[in-house]
Each structure stands twice: as structure tokens, then as C-alpha cells.
């Protein structure tokens, strides 16, 4: 896992601009604490930060192969889980290897197949290849968007990086946010290609983007498609079990210490159980980590997101698989520290407003990083198998809106409420959301003869796998890499995603519960308590002291009338919000205060120019 950056300028000589690509690369030092490298030629500059996972001594980047027609150089982030099979195939085709890294396999794969190497990779990846034989840059991103990749087209080329901060470090790029950027930040529709910053965008998952003197071109090499599912239920369950067993085993390959993130929920417990079973064959034990808050089990109160605490279920899983487990217990005080908030905003390059949920995630990852460099996660199982509560809420299912917005929760509701009235009017979030929803729904393929229920549930699944999951994956990547931790996501194996997506809803919900197919595929590695546990969200502190500290900080923001954030926020809303009893502040209001505080610190960190016209 690493960070990549680069700059192509066909009308300039970049050979004296090492400082620029060096600064772009250095901005992502936490993504790659083990090594740094740059490579500069006349019209191209590439940079790389390395987190060494495979072949610790080899695999240095940028990596170059010199051919009779010119140099071909790669900067690569991620993991190709089938690199060993590809290496053997390439050897049979005459390629020779100097290292045991997957980077060299991908580079030689490009030499053999060109950008069609993308279709042959199983993994999470974002990489750039400069091909001097044709003076062409090729950017390739994995199918689901596990690894981030952003770009900023320029009149004579492009600037790119794993994170926006790398692009913003280039003097050719201005830190500007306009109404389009703000709309998506507030609306939460997960618009494809959106990157907040004006002129910048994501390289879409499953896409090859190439840049040469003729301009920029895109090729979609993978997308979610619909096809008839012919397997009976037993065969479907067995196939899912086989796919999960295979992908977890593949993702356990590492030359550095590895663990699993364990919450006691179905998803992380399934990964833990499968990983433990695989490692046991070699006489090894799995290591697991969990996060919770001081005194939470004793003082737990059920709420809209969680009916039970995690700890009892974690204990059951640890006992069942014999894991070596560590509880990371957090107090409320560090979670509300403004410096920690700034570190989260810096990691994500935007003021998303997730508050202590992001802060605790960063603290968890830092604690894990002291012992492990790689962690497996249960992320994306809810999107793949239909686990979120709104999949099973008939009112939400029947609403012509993004389900995560239609469902009543702290993250939905009127997300524009914290914005100043004139800003709200310019944003026109209702129209924007409706337009985005219509665009997203139009991309869903259906089969002749599908029932209305099947069409609707396929649409909801498609929205999650092409929009919602990308936000969740970006969150997990950006925060984990801010701690120098690589997080792998077995549920994003494209073979599994394709197979389950094409499975009819009647099978996905055959027993009347969420994630029916997953529960049925992995009972052999789960304790009984977890097999029957209801869906629970990522833990959030219930300590009133956290709310009280948020209110205190919001008072300071309210008092600073000269701060740039004052032009964006609704001061009356904020004044009313912090007048509430901190111990009784609704979760939706707390999230609104988090958004205001994020905006404040985002201005402090990035000094953006905001264009509201």
C-alpha cells in the first residue's frame, strides 16, 4: 500500500521541477512511511511513497523497464492478490523478474498486454504507467474503487495523485471550491468523479484513463452488469462460501504482521473465522483488534443504530477461533480534541462531519499500527449482501430517493440545515439530489420478466455498489493510510460482487433476515450468538462529556464573526443547537455541529477560495 503522484506537461520541461513532484509526494508521507522516490523526464514527473508489504527489500518505486523502444515506468499503490499466478504466466511468455514484488508483475503485465492488464488483475490498486514509447500516461483504478486516485486535467497534460492533497501541492493547481463541490459535500449522493475541489475529479473505479498529446481518453474495463442467475439456493450458498474462502486466503499473503478488524458483527466475524481457519492449517493464530469506549458495556443504551454492545460478541468470536485479541478502549476527551479533528480532515481532504466516528477510527488504526501493518476488514458486506436496515424498510424501499437519505438517521435529515440561508438557496440540494437520483437509476440494467420487487431491490443494490460503497471505502482507506496501515476488504473481490449482485432478492432474503446468504455461507466459522445478531453500526460514544465539549468549541466558532466559515454557516441554527442540553442533544444535531466544526478547521488547514456564484 502506497501513495502515488505525478505531473505530465507536454508544453513544459519538467527536468528542473524535482521540487514540485517531491512536494506532491511528501504530502502523502503517512501513506508510505518506509520509502520515497521520484522519477523525472522532460514532460513527466512521477513520485511514490512506499508502505512495504510484499518483498520488503525489492519492489522500490518508481520502477522502470528499459525496452529497445524506450523506458516504461510505473508508480503503483495497492495489492494484486493473483500476482503469483500472473508471474508464472508471464514467465511462460518470456518475462524475467528481478524481485518478488507484485509491482514488477503489474509492470511486466503492462508490457505484455498494455492497459488490458487491468482486466487480469484481482485486487485493490491504483497505478500510473508512463510509456515513453508512445509518450503516454496511463492511469488505472481497481473495479470497486478500494484504492483512491484523483486527477486534475491541465491545458497541456494532467496532475494526479492518490489524494487531493498531492495535487493541491502542485503550483499549477488552485485550492478552489465552487457550488458544485459544495453541493455534493452537503447532499451526500456520492456523485461519481466528484472530488470537492474545482477542476479536480476522481478516476472512476473500473476505468483506464490515458493522456497523450492528443488529449485525455477513458476506457471502462469493468462495470456492474445484470445477468440471469441460474443456481438454486444451495448452490448459491456453496458458491459464496467458496468465493469467500478463496478471497480471504488470497488476502492473507503478506511479508509483514497482519490482523483482522473485529467488531463482533456478522461481517468482521466471518472474515475473522475464515482467516483463522486458513492460518490454523499452517499452525498460526489470527490476531484481532476491536474499538470501544470506556465504560460503554456497563452503561450502554440502545439507540437507532445499535441494540446491543459489541463486546460480548467479540468475546464469543475470540473464544471460538482462538484469536489473539486486543481491545482498544478510548476515552471521550481525546475524541473531541480539535487537533485530532484536524488530522482527520487532513487525512480525508474535506470536512465530511463524521465527528468521533472518524476520530475513533484513526485512533484505532494508530493503535493497531504499533503491532500490525496490514488489517483485513468486513467493509462492504452490507452493500454486497443487503445488510443495511433501509434495505428492509418498506417505506424507504418505495421512496424515489437514495435509501441512505430516505432512511431516518443522524446522517440523513436536512443536511443543509447548518448552511446559511443564502447558501442553501444557491445550493438547491433538493433539485440536485433528484437529478442525481434520476441519473443513477437510469444506469441500472434489468432483466425481462423481473417483478417490481426484484427491479426495485436490484436498483437499491446498484446504488450502493456504485455510489455508497465508494464513500465507505474512501473513508477506510484515507483514515487507515493516515496511520500507515493497509486495510484489505475481502467483500470487494469483484468475483463475489458480480455473483451476489446477479442473485435474485428472493434468495438474498430467503430467511427473512438481512444478509441471509452470508449467514448461510459461513456458519461453520461463527459462534451461534453472532449468527443471530442483528445489524449494528460502527460504535459511537454515548458520553455526555463529548457533546459538552462540542458545544464549547461551537461557541468559539460562533464568536468568531470574521472567520471565513461565518459566510457559509447558519449562525441562528448553530446558536439554537448549542443552547440544548448536551446530555440530551439529538444525534442529528450533534452531526450538524460536527459539520460546522469540520468546516471551520478545513478553512484553517487549506485556506480555500470559495466561489458561490
Amino acid at each position: 500500500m502506497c501513495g502515488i503522484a505525478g505531473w505530465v506537461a507536454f508544453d513544459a520541461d519538467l527536468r528542473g521541477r524535482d521540487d514540485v513532484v517531491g512536494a506532491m509526494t511528501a504530502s502523502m508521507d503517512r501513506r508510505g512511511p518506509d520509502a520515497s522516490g521520484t522519477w523525472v523526464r522532460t514532460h513527466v514527473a512521477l513520485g511514490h511513497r512506499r508502505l512495504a508489504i510484499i518483498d520488503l527489500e525489492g519492489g522500490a518505486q518508481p520502477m522502470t523497464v528499459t525496452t529497445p523502444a524506450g523506458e516504461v515506468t510505473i508508480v503503483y499503490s495497492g495489492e494484486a492478490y493473483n500476482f503469483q499466478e500472473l508471474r508464472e504466466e508471464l514467465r511462460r511468455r518470456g518475462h524475467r523478474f528481478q524481485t518478488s514484488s507484485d509491482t514488477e508483475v503489474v509492470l511486466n503485465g503492462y508490457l505484455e498486454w498494455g492497459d488490458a492488464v487491468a482486466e487480469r488483475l484481482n485486487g485493490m490498486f491504483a497505478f500510473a504507467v508512463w510509456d515513453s514509447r508512445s509518450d503516454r500516461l496511463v492511469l488505472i483504478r481497481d473495479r470497486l474503487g478500494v484504492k483512491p486516485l484523483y486527477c486534475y486535467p491541465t491545458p497541456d497534460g494532467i496532475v494526479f495523485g492518490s489524494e487531493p492533497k498531492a495535487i493541491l501541492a502542485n503550483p499549477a493547481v488552485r485550492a478552489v471550491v465552487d457550488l458544485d463541490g459544495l453541493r455534493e459535500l452537503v447532499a451526500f449522493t456520492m456523485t461519481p468523479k466528484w472530488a470537492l475541489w474545482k477542476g479536480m475529479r476522481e478516476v472512476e473505479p473500473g476505468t483506464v484513463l490515458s493522456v497523450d498529446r492528443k488529449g485525455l481518453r477513458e476506457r471502462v474495463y469493468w462495470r456492474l452488469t445484470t445477468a440471469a442467475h441460474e443456481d438454486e439456493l444451495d448452490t448459491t450458498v456453496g458458491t459464496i462460501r467458496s468465493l469467500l474462502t478463496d478471497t480471504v486466503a488470497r488476502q492473507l499473503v503478506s511479508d509483514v504482521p497482519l490482523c483482522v478488524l473485529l467488531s463482533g458483527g456478522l461481517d468482521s466475524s466471518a472474515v475473522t473465522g475464515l482467516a483463522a481457519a486458513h492460518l490454523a492449517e499452517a499452525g498460526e493464530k489470527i490476531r484481532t483488534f476491536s474499538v470501544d469506549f470506556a465504560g460503554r458495556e456497563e452503561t450502554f443504551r440502545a439507540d437507532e443504530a445499535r441494540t446491543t454492545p459489541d463486546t460480548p460478541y467479540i468475546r464469543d468470536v475470540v473464544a471460538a477461533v482462538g484469536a489473539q485479541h486486543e481491545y482498544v478502549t478510548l476515552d471521550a476527551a481525546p475524541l473531541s480534541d480539535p487537533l485530532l479533528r484536524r488530522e482527520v480532515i487532513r487525512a480525508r481532504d474535506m470536512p465530511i462531519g463524521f465527528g468521533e466516528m472518524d476520530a475513533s477510527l484513526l485512533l484505532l488504526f494508530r493503535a493497531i499500527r504499533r503491532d500490525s501493518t496490514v488489517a483485513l476488514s468486513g467493509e462492504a458486506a452490507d452493500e454486497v449482501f443487503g445488510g443495511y436496515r433501509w434495505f428492509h424498510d418498506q417505506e424507504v424501499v418505495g421512496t424515489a430517493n437514495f435509501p441512505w437519505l430516505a432512511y431516518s438517521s443522524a446522517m440523513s435529515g436536512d443536511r443543509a440545515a447548518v448552511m446559511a440561508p443564502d447558501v442553501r438557496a444557491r445550493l438547491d440540494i433538493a433539485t440536485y439530489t433528484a437529478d442525481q437520483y434520476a441519473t443513477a437509476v437510469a444506469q441500472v440494467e434489468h432483466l425481462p420478466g423481473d417483478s417490481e420487487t426484484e427491479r426495485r431491490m436490484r436498483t437499491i443494490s446498484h446504488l450502493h455498489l456504485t455510489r455508497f460503497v465508494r464513500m465507505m471505502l474512501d473513508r477506510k482507506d484515507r483514515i487507515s493510510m493516515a496511520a500507515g496501515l493497509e486495510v484489505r476488504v475481502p467483500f470487494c473481490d469483484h468475483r463475489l460482487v458480480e455473483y451476489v449482485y446477479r442473485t435474485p432478492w428472493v434468495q438474498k432474503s430467503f430467511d427473512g433476515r438481512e444478509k441471509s446468504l452470508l449467514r448461510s455461507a459461513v456458519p461453520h466459522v461463527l459462534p451461534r450468538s453472532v449468527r443471530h445478531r442483528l445489524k449494528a453500526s460502527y460504535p459511537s460514544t454515548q458520553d455526555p462529556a463529548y457533546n459538552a465539549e462540542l458545544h464549547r468549541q461551537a461557541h468559539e466558532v460562533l464568536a468568531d464573526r470574521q472567520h471565513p466559515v461565518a459566510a457559509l454557516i447558519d449562525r441562528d441554527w448553530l446558536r439554537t443547537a448549542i443552547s440544548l442540553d448536551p446530555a440530551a442533544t439529538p444525534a442529528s444535531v450533534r452531526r450538524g455541529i460536527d459539520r460546522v466544526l469540520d468546516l471551520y478547521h478545513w478553512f484553517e488547514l487549506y485556506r480555500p477560495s470559495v466561489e458561490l456564484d
Side-chain angles (χ1 to χ4, degrees):
M1 194 70 68
C2 308
I4 65 172
W7 183 16
V8 172
F10 289 109
D11 294 340
D13 188 339
L14 300 184
R15 286 175 293 182
R17 306 305 302 274
D18 302 64
D19 58 327
V20 174
V21 71
M24 293 171 64
T25 305
S27 72
M28 302 180 294
D29 57 345
R30 294 185 181 180
R31 290 191 73 90
D34 296 328
S36 177
T38 58
W39 183 88
V40 181
R41 296 296 185 267
T42 305
H43 299 302
V44 59
L46 303 178
H48 186 266
R49 294 291 312 197
R50 188 183 186 202
L51 177 63
I53 304 294
I54 302 291
D55 188 3
L56 306 188
E57 299 303 321
Q61 297 184 51
M63 183 179 289
T64 299
V65 170
T66 301
T67 75
E71 294 177 307
V72 180
T73 301
I74 189 172
V75 283
Y76 173 84
S77 171
E79 306 290 346
Y81 301 124
N82 63 335
F83 78 98
Q84 293 166 328
E85 298 101 303
L86 287 176
R87 181 192 289 128
E88 292 309 309
E89 181 177 356
L90 289 165
R91 277 179 174 151
R92 291 193 295 270
R93 291 172 177 263
H95 293 261
R96 297 292 178 265
F97 293 89
Q98 307 301 314
T99 76
S100 58
S101 71
D102 59 339
T103 303
E104 190 179 15
V105 172
V106 175
L107 177 55
N108 278 268
Y110 174 84
L111 293 173
E112 182 66 31
W113 300 298
D115 61 39
V117 67
E119 287 92 328
R120 295 174 177 266
L121 298 176
N122 176 312
M124 55 178 191
F125 48 84
F127 61 93
V129 176
W130 174 257
D131 192 336
S132 65
R133 300 171 301 180
S134 55
D135 276 354
R136 182 176 76 136
L137 178 78
V138 177
L139 300 174
I140 299 179
R141 192 174 179 201
D142 67 67
R143 296 168 180 84
L144 272 295
V146 182
K147 302 315 299 171
L149 185 57
Y150 296 83
C151 67
Y152 185 97
T154 63
D156 70 334
I158 198 167
V159 181
F160 69 89
S162 292
E163 298 181 353
K165 63 175 63 68
I167 297 173
L168 293 171
N170 189 301
V173 180
R174 292 179 58 228
V176 178
V177 175
D178 60 11
L179 281 174
D180 286 338
L182 285 177
R183 280 192 186 96
E184 179 53 39
L185 180 69
V186 174
F188 217 52
T189 70
M190 323 304 176
T191 299
K193 297 186 180 182
W194 177 80
L196 180 61
W197 306 95
K198 185 178 181 180
M200 193 184 303
R201 66 179 180 85
E202 278 192 310
V203 176
E204 276 208 81
T207 298
V208 175
L209 188 154
S210 58
V211 184
D212 59 20
R213 292 180 181 276
K214 296 178 181 178
L216 183 152
R217 289 176 299 282
E218 288 184 317
R219 177 177 73 85
V220 176
Y221 72 87
W222 184 89
R223 64 186 180 89
L224 205 57
T225 59
T226 303
H229 182 82
E230 305 294 347
D231 292 345
E232 298 293 332
L233 180 59
D234 287 348
T235 302
T236 298
V237 170
T239 300
I240 291 170
R241 181 183 300 118
S242 296
L243 286 169
L244 278 173
T245 301
D246 178 71
T247 191
V248 168
R250 287 177 181 274
Q251 297 191 25
L252 289 171
V253 175
S254 172
D255 292 337
V256 293
L258 176 147
C259 67
V260 177
L261 307 176
L262 176 60
S263 70
L266 175 63
D267 313 336
S268 65
S269 299
V271 173
T272 299
L274 291 168
H278 181 78
L279 292 177
E281 295 175 2
E284 300 177 31
K285 276 191 172 185
I286 189 66
R287 181 149 199 191
T288 55
F289 289 82
S290 64
V291 65
D292 210 341
F293 303 97
R296 180 178 172 85
E297 184 177 7
E298 296 77 20
T299 61
F300 177 82
R301 301 186 308 276
D303 58 27
E304 63 181 25
R306 290 159 290 273
T307 58
T308 56
D310 291 338
T311 305
Y313 300 93
I314 292 171
R315 284 196 291 263
D316 289 348
V317 175
V318 169
V321 305
Q324 180 183 350
H325 185 75
E326 181 174 335
Y327 295 94
V328 178
T329 303
L330 306 175
D331 293 317
L335 295 174
S336 57
D337 185 342
L339 294 179
L340 180 60
R341 184 181 293 272
R342 288 195 180 195
E343 290 183 66
V344 170
I345 294 169
R346 185 67 178 162
R348 302 196 68 178
D349 289 312
M350 59 181 173
I352 196 68
F354 277 17
E356 87 285 359
M357 291 195 298
D358 277 358
S360 65
L361 195 63
L362 180 55
L363 294 178
L364 168 66
F365 289 154
R366 285 177 176 172
I368 292 173
R369 186 62 176 86
R370 291 194 287 266
D371 297 292
S372 296
T373 309
V374 176
L376 271 64
S377 166
E379 195 74 73
D382 287 312
E383 290 84 356
V384 173
F385 289 97
Y388 291 114
R389 295 186 181 188
W390 50 72
F391 273 88
H392 308 274
D393 184 317
Q394 292 309 303
E395 183 176 350
V396 172
V397 168
T399 301
N401 194 1
F402 295 100
W404 54 90
L405 298 180
Y407 186 76
S408 179
S409 74
M411 297 310 299
S412 59
D414 184 3
R415 291 179 51 82
V418 304
M419 308 303 288
D422 62 321
V423 176
R424 282 203 303 270
R426 289 179 177 146
L427 292 176
D428 190 6
I429 296 301
T431 299
Y432 173 80
T433 301
D435 289 345
Q436 284 299 317
Y437 180 76
T439 298
V441 169
Q443 296 173 349
V444 185
E445 299 174 349
H446 296 289
L447 297 175
D450 276 348
S451 67
E452 283 303 312
T453 297
E454 183 61 34
R455 291 173 65 89
R456 185 59 189 153
M457 298 314 297
R458 179 177 287 115
T459 295
I460 290 176
S461 294
H462 193 277
L463 293 175
H464 282 80
L465 291 168
T466 58
R467 291 199 175 218
F468 193 77
V469 77
R470 294 180 185 178
M471 182 276 294
M472 300 301 288
L473 292 171
D474 185 75
R475 170 181 182 252
K476 187 64 66 71
D477 172 89
R478 303 283 285 281
I479 297 178
S480 66
M481 292 308 294
L485 178 72
E486 172 177 292
V487 174
R488 299 177 178 178
V489 280
F491 288 110
C492 283
D493 186 296
H494 70 279
R495 301 167 302 164
L496 177 70
V497 172
E498 289 172 345
Y499 186 80
V500 177
Y501 176 70
R502 294 167 180 171
T503 302
W505 184 251
V506 68
Q507 286 193 5
K508 291 178 183 176
S509 59
F510 75 89
D511 63 358
R513 303 194 62 186
E514 81 277 4
K515 293 181 281 197
S516 305
L517 291 174
L518 178 57
R519 290 180 193 276
S520 298
V522 293
H524 59 298
V525 297
L526 297 176
R528 184 179 185 280
S529 60
V530 173
R531 293 201 302 269
H532 297 282
R533 188 186 184 190
L534 293 174
K535 163 69 182 173
S537 300
Y538 180 81
S540 176
T541 182
Q542 295 179 327
D543 189 338
Y546 177 81
N547 285 355
E549 178 58 19
L550 287 193
H551 285 213
R552 188 195 66 77
Q553 293 175 27
H555 270 292
E556 294 180 353
V557 172
L558 200 58
D560 190 353
R561 292 177 174 269
Q562 303 306 311
H563 195 277
V565 78
L568 287 182
I569 64 171
D570 187 333
R571 294 171 56 81
D572 290 337
W573 181 94
L574 185 59
R575 188 178 294 107
T576 300
I578 60 180
S579 70
L580 300 174
D581 178 0
T585 301
S588 58
V589 174
R590 182 168 76 175
R591 285 290 164 258
I593 297 173
D594 274 322
R595 286 195 283 276
V596 170
L597 293 176
D598 271 16
L599 281 167
Y600 178 88
H601 290 290
W602 173 69
F603 269 106
E604 292 291 298
L605 286 168
Y606 290 89
R607 303 291 178 180
S609 173
V610 178
E611 299 177 351
L612 296 179
D613 298 323

